[in-house]
Amino acid sequence: NYAQAASNKSATLRELGRYEEALACAEQALVMSASLAEAWTNKAVNLHELGRYDEAITHYDQALTLNPDDYVAWTNKGVTLKAIKRYDEAITHFDQALTLKPDYHEVWTNKGATLHDLKRYDQAIACYDKALSFNPRYYEAWINQGISLKELTLVADAKKAFERAIELMPNSNMARWGKLFTSIPIIAPSSKSVQELREVFSSELQELDKWFYQERLDGAHEVIGSSQPFYLAYQALNNKEILNQYGLICHRIMAHWQKVHMLQRSVKKENAKIQIGIVGEQICNHSVWNAITKGLVFNLDITKFEVHIFHLGTSIDDETLSARGKVKTFTDNQFSLLDLSKSILEKSLDVLIYPEIGMHALTTQLACLRLAPIQIATWGHPETTGLPTIDYYLSGALFEDESSQDAYTEALIKLPNLGCTYSRLPVNSADFDVEQFGISLHEPILICPGAPFKYAPKNDWIFVEIAKRLGKCKLVFFKDQNGWSEILFSRLENTFKEANLTLKDYVIFIPWLKSEQFYGLMKHAVVFMDTIGFSGFNTAMQAVDCALPIVTQEGSFMRGRFASGILKRIELPELIADSDQSYIELVIRLVQDKLYHSQVVNKINEMRHVLYDDPEPIRALENFLLSIAT
């Protein structure tokens, strides 16, 4: 009848990862003494570990009612709120814990991790520094600091932080995994370092593969998705081999986790219709939804297919609600890998589709598992996944050529035209005062729309050449909140200086704009300069919506061919440059030749209707699915 002993046993079982037993002990303690606040907290923590977050929050509240000064309960409730992405509430709870115990290093670390999720990286690092001032040997703070420093492109400092964590905790999987990804620059300071860093990444990946031998696989699944080789895609090189190397490690770790939890696919239920699952974070007004997923959800033939959505995100808007109304089942508010895996398996799916793999940690973990007999990725993140669990990759015929399969570990499926059934977005352009940023309407405005990491150093000279040829012009780039644009700005400044030109006379960086403001800016622009090597799909579509001429250069891989595919579809292949020099010449001509510019605008207005609500890709996809799933 000793409640405290049962509560303490619960805490120890939790440390061993035996959460169901720990939960039972906490419940036993509460039967003995319902007023034991610590037991309510122990039960809540185990509910959190089991992915039962709403129940956990209720139990934390009970603990805090009994003991409002329990800084551990305030902290742990904050951790649960962070897990379900209620970030502002989480920070409030961490702050309350710090009011009660200002030197609690774990709270400072958790607050930092929450600020990181909000992309407030400088503030996150300040919190980690505070944690380490109280406990310099707290390795988790060093790991988190490394992750945030990497996002700020402070790669050398990030690497040191991970190395310090490894010194303190040599068996830390997370520290070793985080250190690995410091070899992939978010935005390259120069062209010289890229190949050397790729070789370092590949070599360290081999070493990490050896590190994860059988006895180390328990718990290793937590590293999958925590850091990802997302920025490899922005190097204009074939990443198939290196991503296959990465994918095999991820699968090996996740396959062990699946075996431990004895997760097997259900026996196929008798159903005349093919069961399709769609897994993704972006079931809302987002570029992946608008370009790819929405067309699937709204256009698949409901007499032949039943669609089940698994929404991993927390953003809910009109698009989310409309998606919910179009599908057989809609699973959301589940953030546990185990619960989601079980939910997917329970549906006895024939086909599981991932609109993107590589942008979201939980999506990546799920994609490493075998949860359906046929698993498919598509181009929300336009790169091969490298995963042996992904059987097919859906692309568009206008984004690929006869040699494209060489860049994919999956079997490549080239759907007709753009490979998607895209609905035109409403063009609600705001009255946009460009002069507030120092842009004169008397100068030709050239839109450079890409995120900073899309611009390869080897192409910086192109902007100098255009500025020299045009003289009076304004190249408009966009700032990001992470500070990556500062590296691009510095590179361009040096390149312009070498040409005896002053950057600010020709180039301006303005804040990222809302869509209606972006449309307003494009209404004033003369040319849309697509990024070379990694093209833009949604931004190019927006330019077409505004009848703004696009200049692009077709890349070697699908990720460099979005704008060129769009231009081919509207019969304007003449705007696809075949070299850097012809790219420059096309930009110059569109600015200086008013008649030609007008002809291009008229052609866009005449032909752009073919881009919208194209039924061919979805019909071809249906035929393909019927051929493989029946």
Side-chain angles (χ1 to χ4, degrees):
N1 297 318
Y2 187 18
Q4 185 66 58
S7 181
N8 289 350
K9 185 177 179 184
S10 171
T12 304
L13 285 164
R14 185 181 75 246
E15 290 295 318
L16 292 168
R18 291 158 63 180
Y19 303 123
E20 295 285 1
E21 295 172 75
L23 182 63
C25 279
E27 289 171 342
Q28 184 184 6
L30 289 170
V31 169
M32 298 175 193
S33 175
S35 61
L36 183 60
E38 183 184 316
W40 286 100
T41 299
N42 274 332
K43 184 177 177 183
V45 173
N46 284 298
L47 287 166
H48 171 101
E49 295 293 351
L50 292 167
R52 295 159 62 180
Y53 299 124
D54 289 338
E55 293 177 71
I57 288 171
T58 301
H59 285 72
Y60 285 130
D61 288 341
Q62 185 62 38
L64 290 167
T65 299
L66 292 167
N67 182 6
D69 293 333
D70 184 355
Y71 60 85
V72 174
W74 283 106
T75 301
N76 289 343
K77 185 182 173 186
V79 171
T80 300
L81 288 165
K82 176 184 179 295
I84 57 176
K85 301 187 179 183
R86 288 161 60 179
Y87 297 126
D88 291 336
E89 293 175 74
I91 289 172
T92 299
H93 281 70
F94 294 140
D95 286 341
Q96 181 61 36
L98 290 169
T99 300
L100 296 166
K101 188 171 175 57
D103 62 348
Y104 192 15
H105 59 276
E106 291 186 26
V107 189
W108 283 109
T109 302
N110 282 315
K111 182 178 177 181
T114 308
L115 290 164
H116 176 95
D117 287 347
L118 291 167
K119 299 189 176 183
R120 290 152 61 179
Y121 302 124
D122 285 325
Q123 294 176 48
I125 289 168
C127 286
Y128 303 140
D129 286 342
K130 197 77 172 175
L132 291 167
S133 72
F134 294 119
N135 184 357
R137 299 187 62 80
Y138 188 47
Y139 74 96
E140 289 187 18
W142 285 109
I143 293 171
N144 287 2
Q145 187 177 77
I147 294 169
S148 292
L149 286 166
K150 181 179 180 296
E151 289 299 318
L152 291 173
T153 69
L154 299 171
V155 178
D157 292 337
K159 194 169 186 177
K160 287 178 184 176
F162 288 124
E163 287 171 346
R164 178 61 177 143
I166 293 168
E167 284 177 23
L168 294 168
M169 183 61 70
N171 289 328
S172 170
N173 293 331
M174 196 66 77
R176 291 175 182 274
W177 191 261
K179 181 188 172 188
L180 168 70
F181 291 90
T182 59
S183 300
I184 304 174
I186 293 173
I187 175 169
S190 68
S191 298
K192 298 176 183 177
S193 59
V194 171
Q195 188 57 45
E196 181 182 337
L197 289 172
R198 288 170 68 88
E199 291 170 5
V200 169
F201 178 73
S202 180
S203 174
E204 292 187 351
L205 201 53
Q206 290 177 25
E207 291 302 312
L208 203 60
D209 189 25
K210 296 174 186 175
W211 165 263
F212 284 114
Y213 57 80
Q214 187 64 33
E215 287 72 19
R216 285 203 175 110
L217 290 179
D218 287 341
H221 72 281
E222 294 179 353
V223 305
I224 304 301
S226 60
S227 292
Q228 304 193 61
F230 178 80
Y231 297 101
L232 275 179
Y234 298 92
Q235 300 170 8
L237 297 164
N238 190 333
N239 294 319
K240 176 181 176 179
E241 184 177 338
I242 199 168
L243 286 175
N244 189 39
Q245 186 184 359
Y246 160 80
L248 288 171
I249 294 173
C250 292
H251 171 59
R252 184 163 66 84
I253 291 170
M254 293 307 303
H256 174 81
W257 178 88
Q258 186 169 7
K259 184 178 179 181
V260 167
H261 289 279
M262 296 182 288
L263 296 176
Q264 300 293 329
R265 297 198 300 277
S266 304
V267 176
K268 178 75 173 84
K269 298 173 185 174
E270 287 300 322
N271 198 316
K273 298 180 184 179
I274 293 175
Q275 304 298 301
I276 307 290
I278 297 176
V279 179
E281 180 190 25
Q282 307 91 359
I283 313 296
C284 57
N285 185 13
H286 183 279
S287 57
V288 174
W289 168 259
N290 292 329
I292 303 167
T293 319
K294 185 176 183 178
L296 296 175
V297 171
F298 278 74
N299 293 286
L300 278 170
D301 186 344
I302 60 172
T303 68
K304 299 174 182 175
F305 303 93
E306 285 183 344
V307 177
H308 306 265
I309 285 181
F310 303 89
H311 183 205
L312 309 186
T314 55
S315 296
I316 297 174
D317 58 18
D318 290 343
E319 297 294 327
T320 316
L321 299 177
S322 65
R324 187 187 293 271
K326 290 292 292 185
V327 297
K328 180 70 174 176
T329 64
F330 190 99
T331 302
D332 61 351
N333 291 320
Q334 287 192 2
F335 304 97
S336 155
L337 173 64
L338 184 58
D339 286 347
L340 272 164
S341 300
K342 288 178 178 178
S343 294
I344 294 170
L345 289 168
E346 284 167 4
K347 296 294 188 294
S348 298
L349 300 172
D350 297 296
V351 179
L352 191 55
I353 298 175
Y354 293 90
E356 68 80 15
I357 298 173
M359 295 165 59
H360 182 251
L362 190 50
T363 305
T364 301
Q365 288 182 322
L366 290 166
C368 291
L369 305 172
R370 176 58 74 175
L371 301 174
I374 298 165
Q375 302 191 152
I376 299 174
T378 187
W379 48 273
H381 179 51
E383 177 67 280
T384 183
T385 67
L387 297 173
T389 48
I390 302 299
D391 307 300
Y392 299 97
Y393 197 103
L394 300 180
S395 185
L398 292 174
F399 301 150
E400 309 288 357
D401 60 26
E402 63 282 354
S403 66
S404 292
Q405 179 62 67
D406 295 340
Y408 295 91
T409 59
E410 309 84 359
L412 177 62
I413 307 301
K414 305 174 190 177
L415 298 177
N417 306 324
L418 301 181
C420 59
T421 302
Y422 176 91
S423 295
R424 187 182 185 186
L425 299 176
V427 182
N428 299 318
S429 58
D431 290 331
F432 189 70
D433 178 16
V434 298
E435 294 182 344
Q436 66 179 300
F437 296 113
I439 304 170
S440 171
L441 290 173
H442 300 295
E443 296 177 320
I445 297 171
L446 293 75
I447 304 289
C448 304
F453 47 77
K454 285 189 175 184
Y455 292 96
K458 67 184 181 65
N459 298 322
D460 291 349
W461 71 277
I462 291 173
F463 303 107
V464 175
E465 192 62 27
I466 289 170
K468 283 164 63 176
R469 295 274 299 277
L470 289 177
K472 195 177 184 183
C473 68
K474 195 63 74 178
L475 296 154
V476 181
F477 291 82
F478 295 87
K479 296 177 184 176
D480 67 286
Q481 67 185 85
N482 302 324
W484 300 333
S485 53
E486 294 173 14
I487 293 175
L488 177 59
F489 180 92
S490 178
R491 277 188 359 220
L492 290 174
E493 188 173 46
N494 290 334
T495 309
F496 272 74
K497 188 176 181 180
E498 289 170 4
N500 296 316
L501 297 177
T502 303
L503 182 71
K504 64 182 178 66
D505 291 341
Y506 305 95
V507 171
I508 189 165
F509 281 75
I510 67 172
W512 207 259
L513 303 176
K514 295 179 179 178
S515 60
E516 60 269 20
Q517 295 173 314
F518 186 52
Y519 282 128
L521 174 62
M522 287 196 289
K523 294 286 188 182
H524 294 296
V526 181
V527 180
F528 178 100
M529 294 173 57
D530 186 41
T531 39
I532 298 171
F534 197 112
S535 183
F537 179 84
N538 285 279
T539 49
M541 281 291 202
Q542 289 173 307
V544 170
D545 290 341
C546 295
L548 177 62
I550 300 168
V551 174
T552 190
Q553 186 176 157
E554 191 164 73
S556 302
F557 308 101
M558 177 254 289
R559 58 190 185 269
R561 294 174 173 174
F562 293 128
S564 63
I566 291 167
L567 290 170
K568 288 176 184 177
R569 182 73 175 133
I570 61 174
E571 299 179 12
L572 274 171
E574 69 220 60
L575 297 183
I576 305 170
D578 58 9
S579 67
D580 294 344
Q581 195 59 48
S582 63
Y583 184 98
I584 294 165
E585 296 297 336
L586 278 168
V587 172
I588 301 300
R589 184 180 180 190
L590 283 165
V591 173
Q592 294 181 340
D593 188 336
K594 306 300 181 189
L595 177 60
Y596 180 61
H597 187 278
S598 178
Q599 290 170 344
V600 169
V601 169
N602 290 338
K603 186 66 176 285
I604 293 172
N605 284 324
E606 175 192 344
M607 291 298 300
R608 65 185 170 200
H609 69 278
V610 303
L611 298 172
Y612 311 124
D613 302 309
D614 180 3
E616 288 189 57
I618 205 75
R619 299 289 84 86
L621 175 60
E622 288 173 345
N623 291 334
F624 170 67
L625 293 175
L626 288 167
S627 73
I628 61 172
T630 54

